[in-house]
Amino acid sequence: MTSSLRPVLPLIRQRGLMLAWLGVALLAGLLLWLLAPVLTPFLAALVLAYALQPAVGRLQRHLRLPRALAALLVELIAMAALLGVLLLIVPVISHELPRLREQIPQLAARINDGLAPWLAQYGLSVRLDIAGIKAFVVKYLDASGEDMLAALLSSARIGGSVLLALVGNAVLVPVVMFYLLLDWPMLTGRLRRLVPPRHLEAVCGFAEECDQVLGQYLRGQLLLMLVLATFYTSALALAGFELALPLGVFTGLAIFIPYLGFGLGAALALLAGVLQFASLYGAGAVLLIYGVGQVLESFVLTPRLVGERIGLHPIAVIFALLAFGHLFGFVGVLLALPAGALVLVALRRVRRAYVDSRLYRG
């Protein structure tokens, strides 16, 4: 009886090990879900530190800088780049807000003059309240800097906890990221020593494969952002947009946030087009440019530069975005595709083990 069970024991041990790791993964997922609000800034700092760590290593090796100084320089450059991307919105808002105050009542009057008679032919009586729209514009869009500051302070008093959380995260993420960059070799060494020696080769192989997939994803994403920023800037400039450079660069760089970045860039461009040209040309040009850009991104650039590198199906991408966005909010959207790539590597290994097992071969 014992000899008959001997060939089955390795399979039983393998299944037991897989179940144990599955239990660990489920427990980790439960803890992540329960502690999501607390872990969000730490996860953001971890993702940024992982992306920036190679740059710190290169500075340390080639320029012979102390690791602390190299980490500080890389973090300052990254924060300056992020601030520069956010500041691209400032000229758009400052340039379009005066036009918005002037042209909203005019657009409403044009709609009344052009749309109301056409609808009246079909028995529909629709007219916009021009006086009410003007009052709304004067109340909300014609405020001085002092009035806006007072409104901001009032909102801060009402939502003080939200403001405090935002400020706390803005301070916490750079601090945590600096210490992660500083201690990255030590942390990875400690994690390596925690792995049982008999599983060290398999775990290190899995980690290296994940690192390769994530590295390919980051390089592909950066190249995609550069190409799209060039495309949108050039196309908007050819269409005659005064704000082609900030709109195009912002849209291209914001693509890093899937769907949300494109939507925000398209909304800003549509607003700028309608207010600058005060006709259907502006809206039509934006719809054409951003429609072509979306087709180019979805069917040509992303499959070649990103999708083929990490191998995620579009349905898997959408599911990952929704799931991680629900769990971790805005940061979860940033984590979705890298985490999806890691899950893909794990599933590949599980499939490989299943195909090589006696259960599959019979």
Side-chain angles (χ1 to χ4, degrees), residues 29 58 107 156:
R58 291 190 185 96
L107 289 173

Side-chain angles (χ1 to χ4, degrees), residues 188-211:
T188 53
R190 287 182 177 179
L191 289 175
R192 185 185 180 94
R193 287 193 293 271
L194 288 176
V195 180
R198 64 182 181 277
H199 302 303
L200 184 61
E201 183 179 355
V203 172
C204 288
F206 174 76
E208 289 175 1
E209 188 175 349
C210 291
D211 185 64

Side-chain angles (χ1 to χ4, degrees), residues 16-34 206 324 327-328 342-343 346-347 350:
L17 183 61
M18 292 178 61
L19 289 175
W21 280 110
L22 180 61
V24 171
L26 291 176
L27 181 60
L30 178 62
L31 289 176
L32 286 175
W33 180 69
L34 293 175
F206 174 76
F324 278 82
L327 290 175
F328 302 110
L342 297 182
V343 173
L347 290 177
V350 170

